[in-house]
Amino acid sequence: MTPPSAPARDPASTRERLLDTAERLFAEQGFDGTSLRQITREAGVNLAAIHYHFGSKDALIDAVFDRLIRPINEARLERLDGVEREAGEGAPELERVIEAFVRPPLEASIGSGELGARRMRLVGRVHAEREHISRQLFVRQFEDVFRRFHAALGRCLPELDPETIAWRMHFMIGAMVHVVLTAGDPTVRQVLGPDGDGLEPDALARRLVPFLAAGMRAGEKGTAP
Amino acid sequence: MTPPSAPARDPASTRERLLDTAERLFAEQGFDGTSLRQITREAGVNLAAIHYHFGSKDALIDAVFDRLIRPINEARLERLDGVEREAGEGAPELERVIEAFVRPPLEASIGSGELGARRMRLVGRVHAEREHISRQLFVRQFEDVFRRFHAALGRCLPELDPETIAWRMHFMIGAMVHVVLTAGDPTVRQVLGPDGDGLEPDALARRLVPFLAAGMRAGEKGTAP
DNA sequence: CAAGGAGTCAAACGACCGTTTGAATCATAC
DNA sequence: GTATGATTCAAACGGTCGTTTGACTCCTTG
């Protein structure tokens, strides 16, 4: 008698299966709406595994957040590095800076498909349900990104004072988060047109970037009165 | 011996105290994060009162949502009526249409102060945690507002196709929701400047409306290349 | 082969959840 | 004053929650 489907005791696998499953369920149901029992059941591991590997539900949420957002922010900074390198001494083009900021969360994963849409939702959730995430971790993850992009936007828009740029970054984040949070929502989809591929990162960026760039430029000379 | 502080059996009072308390706690802790026991305890009424007056927790959430959002949307439509009446045959000014859309949720209550900031957060939450609210109710509350503003914006921006306008309304809602959802967040407050009254509806609108108007106009002739 | 740490397991902990019940209490109308 | 319907009350329902425990299995190291 062979043991029926031996549980594959790969040591690293349990931890990552938990992160994968938790990420999926948090995206679909929110943090409060997802129980540890559901996560462990769907991951096919024991209930106690979460506390063994992470310590608590809050620590699991932080781990999921960290694994999700870290590569996004790294990609943002890499893209910004490239944009600034190409610009040399002069100011980089505003549209390219904005694209460096919004593209990584839109791509959110391998890019598109059902899995990508789910991770997109989670990117939105970590902003909208921020109170579940350790404030220290949240600040640490975003302070570099904020500072770098704030400086870059300041060079693109020399007439705007730093406070105005900060406010407009806030609006930009809001538009981006909302797009990403409602990706796949049937009610929204119905309003924005029935085409299935309007939610691809490319299509979203083509809609979002010109809107944000124009908003950022508001009041600068050379624009509409 | 007088009965120590008779519990004031005003029939309408229990129902409204429940709505008030639930609204406050939902704003602070979210829907899943608030229990019926906490609501009834802080409202000073019996636990069963919620099921007597509303029927279930979901029905209470819907009732809070309805009471919160209905006057906001009525105010939006009234303001839009006024703007269109003044414009007569011609197209109304874009800034005024946008202001008609974003001012009511920013004012959100009597206007400012701690109570206003809390209701603001709830306005954000009903968008960000939409899955807790009956879809029927949500659609019914917003379909008129969406249709009316979509038409008005179309008259302001005759060069844009309806789908583009719908997308840009989506971005506008996102920026507005995020502002309103993070109102009072200490991390955000620190970034946007320490002044306490930057979160008044007037100050917010002065920042938000020009940004959104410029974004809406993106690509129209007469604006920057 | 023995020892020991790493990982997994079933079971239980106390607490809290939304909901229901049935009796007690109130206001009102006869 | 008594019947009637509306409202409030304490208590309990079954269930699920996050967390903890202690024994058990596995793999590695000596």
Side-chain angles (χ1 to χ4, degrees):
Chain A
M1 275 195 182
T2 64
S5 74
R9 284 295 212 71
D10 180 350
S13 148
T14 293
R15 198 187 141 91
E16 285 186 21
R17 254 210 317 281
L18 282 172
L19 285 171
D20 289 339
T21 310
E23 180 177 284
R24 175 170 60 82
L25 294 174
F26 287 156
E28 291 168 356
Q29 310 172 351
F31 301 115
D32 273 336
T34 303
S35 72
L36 301 189
R37 283 172 172 80
Q38 186 183 8
I39 295 170
T40 52
R41 197 186 325 125
E42 301 202 11
V45 307
N46 188 272
L47 171 61
I50 286 180
H51 290 86
Y52 178 78
H53 284 283
F54 299 97
S56 70
K57 181 178 183 179
D58 282 339
L60 171 64
I61 291 175
D62 280 354
V64 169
F65 166 77
D66 191 87
R67 194 183 69 153
L68 174 76
I69 240 61
R70 181 185 298 277
I72 289 176
N73 281 345
E74 285 172 357
R76 280 170 161 158
L77 292 178
E78 275 177 31
R79 283 180 96 115
L80 182 59
D81 282 340
V83 170
E84 289 185 325
R85 201 179 315 114
E86 289 181 25
E89 294 291 319
E93 191 191 356
L94 176 61
E95 275 80 358
R96 302 202 58 200
V97 175
I98 292 174
E99 183 139 13
F101 188 82
V102 301
R103 277 301 285 258
L106 292 183
E107 291 168 354
S109 68
I110 50 168
S112 57
E114 194 52 40
L115 193 144
R118 266 202 312 258
R119 300 198 83 188
M120 269 201 210
R121 288 216 62 181
L122 188 54
V123 172
R125 260 195 217 280
V126 302
H127 287 85
E129 300 173 32
R130 184 182 310 184
E131 62 265 23
H132 291 96
I133 291 158
S134 146
R135 197 198 306 280
Q136 282 185 51
L137 181 60
F138 195 91
V139 170
R140 180 159 15 99
Q141 282 278 8
F142 282 104
E143 59 186 355
D144 280 356
V145 170
F146 182 85
R147 189 173 39 241
R148 286 282 315 276
F149 276 89
H150 188 272
L153 291 170
R155 276 194 302 279
C156 295
L157 304 162
E159 297 179 31
L160 301 183
D161 57 294
E163 201 177 323
T164 297
I165 289 182
W167 273 101
R168 293 186 179 180
M169 287 182 71
H170 195 48
F171 304 149
M172 174 171 74
I173 292 167
M176 186 262 297
V177 165
H178 193 244
V179 165
V180 137
L181 194 58
T182 59
D185 182 304
T187 309
V188 171
R189 204 165 205 148
Q190 178 181 339
V191 165
L192 294 180
D195 57 333
D197 54 307
L199 295 167
E200 299 295 310
D202 274 342
L204 286 175
R206 260 196 303 275
R207 296 241 175 230
L208 188 51
V209 172
F211 176 89
L212 295 175
M216 281 284 175
R217 285 200 182 95
E220 284 247 319
K221 70 188 170 201
T223 63
Chain B
M1 272 195 184
T2 64
S5 75
R9 282 295 211 74
D10 180 351
S13 152
T14 293
R15 191 169 197 278
E16 285 185 21
R17 256 212 314 282
L18 281 172
L19 285 170
D20 288 339
T21 310
E23 180 177 284
R24 174 170 59 83
L25 293 174
F26 287 155
E28 291 169 355
Q29 310 172 350
F31 301 114
D32 273 336
T34 303
S35 71
L36 300 189
R37 282 172 172 81
Q38 186 183 9
I39 295 170
T40 53
R41 197 186 323 125
E42 301 201 12
V45 307
N46 187 271
L47 171 60
I50 285 181
H51 290 86
Y52 178 78
H53 285 283
F54 299 97
S56 70
K57 181 178 183 178
D58 282 338
L60 171 65
I61 292 175
D62 280 353
V64 168
F65 167 76
D66 192 86
R67 193 183 71 152
L68 174 76
I69 240 64
R70 181 185 296 277
I72 289 176
N73 280 345
E74 286 172 355
R76 280 170 161 158
L77 292 177
E78 275 177 30
R79 283 179 96 118
L80 182 59
D81 283 340
V83 169
E84 290 185 325
R85 201 180 314 115
E86 288 181 24
E89 295 290 319
E93 191 191 354
L94 177 60
E95 275 80 358
R96 302 203 58 201
V97 175
I98 292 174
E99 183 138 14
F101 189 82
V102 301
R103 277 301 284 261
L106 292 182
E107 291 168 352
S109 70
I110 51 168
S112 57
E114 194 53 39
L115 192 144
R118 266 203 311 257
R119 302 198 83 190
M120 269 202 212
R121 286 216 63 181
L122 188 53
V123 172
R125 259 193 219 282
V126 301
H127 287 84
E129 300 174 32
R130 185 182 309 184
E131 62 265 23
H132 294 281
I133 290 158
S134 146
R135 201 199 303 280
Q136 282 185 50
L137 180 60
F138 195 91
V139 170
R140 181 161 12 101
Q141 282 278 9
F142 282 104
E143 60 186 355
D144 281 358
V145 170
F146 182 84
R147 190 173 39 241
R148 286 284 314 276
F149 276 89
H150 187 273
L153 291 169
R155 277 194 300 281
C156 295
L157 304 162
E159 296 179 34
L160 300 185
D161 57 295
E163 201 178 323
T164 297
I165 291 182
W167 273 100
R168 293 186 180 179
M169 286 182 70
H170 195 48
F171 304 150
M172 175 171 73
I173 291 167
M176 188 262 296
V177 165
H178 193 244
V179 165
V180 136
L181 194 59
T182 59
D185 182 304
T187 308
V188 172
R189 203 165 206 148
Q190 179 181 336
V191 165
L192 293 180
D195 56 333
D197 55 307
L199 296 167
E200 299 295 309
D202 274 342
L204 287 175
R206 260 196 303 276
R207 296 242 176 230
L208 188 51
V209 172
F211 175 89
L212 295 175
M216 281 283 174
R217 286 201 183 95
E220 284 247 320
K221 70 187 171 202
T223 64

